[in-house]
Amino acid sequence: MPRHEFQPGRLLAGIVLLTAGVVYLLDAAGEADVPWFLVIPMALGGLCLAALVGLVTYAVRRDRRDRISESSDR
């Protein structure tokens, strides 16, 4: 399998959604008493943070790619 580039935004989104799922499972098992309206903002906030991280990652990689292509053109 060929290696692929690291994508921190997708990693963060996965961690946030996994955490929300674990919180729901703990609530269903009776281990925690978490209101439903706390999990939804946590998941949405985490997804917004993951989108921001993805955009920053894309901008950094695009800038780095542009500088490399600019230096090779000279």
Side-chain angles (χ1 to χ4, degrees):
M1 177 179 204
R3 298 191 82 183
H4 59 279
E5 63 186 11
F6 177 63
Q7 296 179 342
R10 289 186 180 189
L11 176 66
L12 185 60
I15 290 171
V16 165
L17 292 177
L18 185 67
T19 303
V22 167
V23 168
Y24 264 136
L25 283 175
L26 288 174
D27 188 35
E31 298 294 324
D33 188 28
V34 180
W36 65 269
F37 55 84
L38 291 181
V39 176
I40 291 175
M42 179 186 73
L44 289 177
L47 288 175
C48 289
L49 182 62
L52 180 66
V53 168
L55 287 172
V56 168
T57 304
Y58 174 75
V60 166
R61 287 184 179 158
R62 186 181 65 188
D63 183 50
R64 187 177 299 159
R65 185 177 54 234
D66 290 345
R67 278 191 274 145
I68 289 172
S69 67
E70 182 180 291
S71 66
S72 66
D73 288 341
R74 289 183 184 180

